[in-house]
Amino acid sequence: MLGTIRAFWNDQRGIALILVSVMLPAIIGFSLLAIDASRMNNLHNDLQKGTDALALAAAAELNGRSDAWTRAENALTNLVSNSTRFSDGGTVPLTTGTGATTVDSTYSACRSKGQISWCFLASIPANDSDPITSANYAASAIVTRFIQVTAHPETLTPFFPVSIASSGNAADASYNLSTVSVAGFTSGVCDYTPVFICNPYENDPDGHTLEEAVSNPELHRRLIELRKVGNGAAAGPGNFGFLEPPEGVGNGAQALAQTIATSRPIGCYSAEGVTTKTGQNAGPVQDAFNVRFGISAGGHFNSPEYGPAANVRKGASSGNGNGNQCPQYNQLTFNETGNMGLPRDATTPYMGGRMGDGDWNLSGYWSTNFGSTSYPSSWNTTKPTRYQVYRHEIANGLVGTASTGGEVGTPPNSCQPPVTTVDRRLIYGAILNCSELSEDNDLSGHSTDLPVEAFGSFFLTEPVSSPSDDASVMVELVDVTGRGGQGTLDNFLRDEAQLYR
């Protein structure tokens, strides 16, 4: 009997079942806890990925233009579709919905629609640990650089009786999850000349915009007279000035002129802000423009990178009669009988007499320079821009054709060889809304962080006639970056939307 009791006492078979039975509640509890943690993590990931994608889509539209908010909100609504799972609602579309946007009564930069809220920001704190406050909100689309996108909270009721993310009370077992993403847009150009041009269509009385100017033929062919900001003109539509040259170029007017004259500029400029260059003597700058026409710069720019354009027809002949000499400017006689450069517009009714109506003498120019040679019949229906005619001459081998006065568009042999890798008759510049910016900045001096409306290209229609500060630079607008642009500046662009938080 005693042996039987002792054997039973020492028998350990089945002990695991007892231990499992004792530990089973804890095992089940920890399993539920692990499942809840996984569900919470997955829900958070869904929300975070959704707000990240929405913020990036919206940030790509924040290029500093006046309609940036509208385009960003269209991107939030139409470009991205995300869903969240693992919440009490199951699969929940994380979209901005189709209802009207609700504008915060206190801050117009903060809005919400559907499952999403967002705030447009002019700045963000330097440290990620610092909260974004109303001081960071943008007052307008023009100064907006970032967007903060917030997902409305999603509720998740855990399997574990006490939520790991709540107060710990069994009665408050459910918890809410929300995520916030902050993205911004950086836009810039590289290999660009250090020039800024005041937006000719800022506050246009007829409501025209830069985008229209490169797509509407009637606006596209208007000739614009640019004047240097400073002694010659105030900072307003149709004027131009200079940007800070890139580091290492040097100081002074000659260094500035070199960065304008070269066919291989090295400067990079951001749409977030450019810096104007303190006023310089305009003489070397005039040479920097005119060297593109095969006009001698008095010993400056005597290397191949400063060569002329492939087509320098300008309605001029050398006063000393030597057609093989790279001419000095004071030796040129313009628009004498038989020679004709690209004409100006018949009238200049816009921008205080500084912008033409787009009606220029195509037939006179063509007959003087190319006689009976035909041009595209479409030009009789829609008059081309001067730049289109200039490119047609190059593409169809007409550059060497002599006018009735003997001028050809081929640069003289004594000049540097023509540059063919880039179009030397184009100048590139940052387009600024100068009227608005001049209220708080001295654009004729040294002002920093000036937002750029767009980057543009302009066609030089004729040489600059004077070294004085009130000299005119006659141009046609060719293209702009961003919405409405024709894509010819894409090689210069460096655009990127990125997450900051």
Side-chain angles (χ1 to χ4, degrees), residues 274-463:
V274 293
T275 299
T276 56
K277 177 69 175 177
T278 304
Q280 297 285 346
N281 173 24
V285 174
Q286 178 203 22
D287 293 339
F289 285 121
N290 288 346
V291 73
R292 301 161 183 263
F293 287 90
I295 297 173
S296 175
H300 300 303
F301 318 129
N302 288 333
S303 59
E305 68 180 286
Y306 302 113
N311 183 358
V312 298
R313 192 183 300 274
K314 49 191 172 291
S317 63
S318 176
N320 63 7
N322 184 355
N324 291 324
Q325 179 181 349
C326 193
Q328 296 286 342
Y329 192 86
N330 59 13
Q331 295 174 319
L332 299 180
T333 302
F334 284 87
N335 294 324
E336 61 185 19
T337 302
N339 294 322
M340 188 175 188
L342 290 164
R344 299 185 180 185
D345 289 346
T347 61
T348 55
Y350 307 104
M351 211 171 66
R354 305 255 309 286
M355 182 187 289
D357 59 1
D359 182 17
W360 63 282
N361 187 6
L362 169 63
S363 60
Y365 172 81
W366 195 264
S367 61
T368 298
N369 292 297
F370 307 111
S372 60
T373 302
S374 62
Y375 57 73
S377 59
S378 60
W379 289 2
N380 294 321
T381 303
T382 303
K383 183 173 291 187
T385 65
R386 296 164 186 80
Y387 184 62
Q388 289 172 322
V389 173
Y390 159 83
R391 295 302 306 175
H392 179 83
E393 294 174 26
I394 296 175
N396 291 275
L398 298 175
V399 175
T401 301
S403 67
T404 56
E407 183 194 25
V408 297
T410 307
N413 292 333
S414 59
C415 294
Q416 292 292 334
V419 175
T420 58
T421 55
V422 295
D423 195 332
R424 293 284 281 152
R425 292 278 293 272
L426 292 182
I427 60 172
Y428 303 92
I431 301 175
L432 308 183
N433 287 325
C434 293
S435 294
E436 178 182 353
L437 293 173
S438 61
E439 295 178 3
D440 301 310
N441 301 275
D442 177 17
L443 301 188
S444 64
H446 188 80
S447 294
T448 60
D449 297 327
L450 302 177
V452 176
E453 176 71 7
F455 293 96
S457 57
F458 297 80
F459 174 58
L460 289 167
T461 62
E462 61 186 63

Side-chain angles (χ1 to χ4, degrees), residues 55-63 71 184-185 483 496-497:
L56 286 170
E61 305 298 330
L62 302 179
N63 58 358
R71 289 186 284 105
F185 178 73
R483 299 283 175 167
E496 181 180 1

Side-chain angles (χ1 to χ4, degrees), residues 120-124 135-139 143-146:
F120 295 110
L121 309 175
S123 62
I124 57 175
N136 301 113
Y137 294 164
V143 298
T144 301
R145 293 179 55 195
F146 308 94

